Amino acid sequence: LGRFQQGKTGDFKGAIESFQRVIAATVGEKDPTLLNFKAQALKNLGIIYYTREHDLDQAVTKLTDSIAVSATTEAADILSQLLFRIARDGKRSEKARAAQLAKALKIGQLAAKLDAENADKATTPARTAKIQLQLAIVLEASGQGPLAKQTFGLAQEKALSNEGLYQLAVLRSLR
């Protein structure tokens, strides 16, 4: 219901309420299917808090909680991107930026690991390339250029879909 409200009607307040109901209803649950619902609700809330509410702290919290409940490649990739953006914010201290970048790297590595583990299921060459690209961006920003080049190269670049082109521009600008 939350995804319908969000996508079809633009009712983000209603979507937030629906996702929060799912989260509240699954407190203490151990069933994997219900935990996946909860993780998806948390991920969707994180995206709404970032894109619509402009609340970075809530977005990071919800995405982190989503990964803690049931780690998915998509949630880890989104969180890595968000942490990278926070780390690049010049208003933060150098120490805080470095800490965010370290978290972005850790989560980016998790996304790559999850993608590799699920290679026979939901992954595609374009998705794998996008995830490797995000990891390369964080490695490059962390001063690990040679490792970034090993992580993402021309072969992966050719596999990118249009949605990965912005991230490719980010990597090129970092280099």
Side-chain angles (χ1 to χ4, degrees):
L1 180 58
R3 290 180 77 179
F4 176 80
Q5 289 169 310
Q6 175 183 341
K8 294 289 185 184
T9 67
D11 179 9
F12 289 93
K13 182 180 179 196
I16 290 170
E17 291 170 1
S18 292
F19 292 136
Q20 288 173 335
R21 280 196 306 272
V22 169
I23 294 164
T26 55
V27 170
E29 285 292 338
K30 302 289 185 226
D31 181 85
T33 301
L34 294 177
L35 290 176
N36 285 335
F37 286 147
K38 182 177 186 173
Q40 288 176 7
L42 286 161
K43 179 194 69 159
N44 290 334
L45 273 176
I47 292 168
I48 290 173
Y49 283 127
Y50 176 62
T51 60
R52 299 291 298 186
E53 305 294 318
H54 309 291
D55 187 338
L56 294 176
D57 293 332
Q58 276 292 347
V60 168
T61 298
K62 297 305 179 195
L63 287 164
T64 302
D65 290 349
S66 173
I67 292 167
V69 169
S70 181
T72 65
T73 305
E74 184 181 18
D77 183 48
I78 293 167
L79 181 57
S80 178
Q81 291 178 46
L82 179 57
L83 291 170
F84 170 75
R85 289 180 183 135
I86 292 169
R88 303 300 290 173
D89 181 358
K91 297 175 189 169
R92 296 177 186 266
S93 72
E94 198 58 40
K95 184 177 178 181
R97 291 171 66 190
Q100 289 296 338
L101 198 54
K103 288 179 189 176
L105 179 57
K106 181 180 174 186
I107 298 297
Q109 290 167 331
L110 174 63
K113 177 182 176 247
L114 292 169
D115 185 62
E117 288 173 356
N118 292 311
D120 61 334
K121 296 179 183 170
T123 198
T124 65
R127 180 179 173 179
T128 297
K130 183 178 171 291
I131 290 163
Q132 289 174 330
L133 173 56
Q134 174 59 27
L135 183 55
I137 287 169
V138 178
L139 286 166
E140 191 75 39
S142 300
Q144 301 179 52
L147 186 54
K149 287 179 181 175
Q150 287 177 355
T151 301
F152 185 83
L154 187 57
Q156 292 93 344
E157 187 174 325
K158 289 180 180 180
L160 282 175
S161 66
N162 287 341
E163 70 181 38
L165 296 180
Y166 172 79
Q167 285 179 277
L168 182 59
V170 170
L171 178 62
R172 287 181 177 162
S173 69
L174 284 170
R175 288 182 173 161

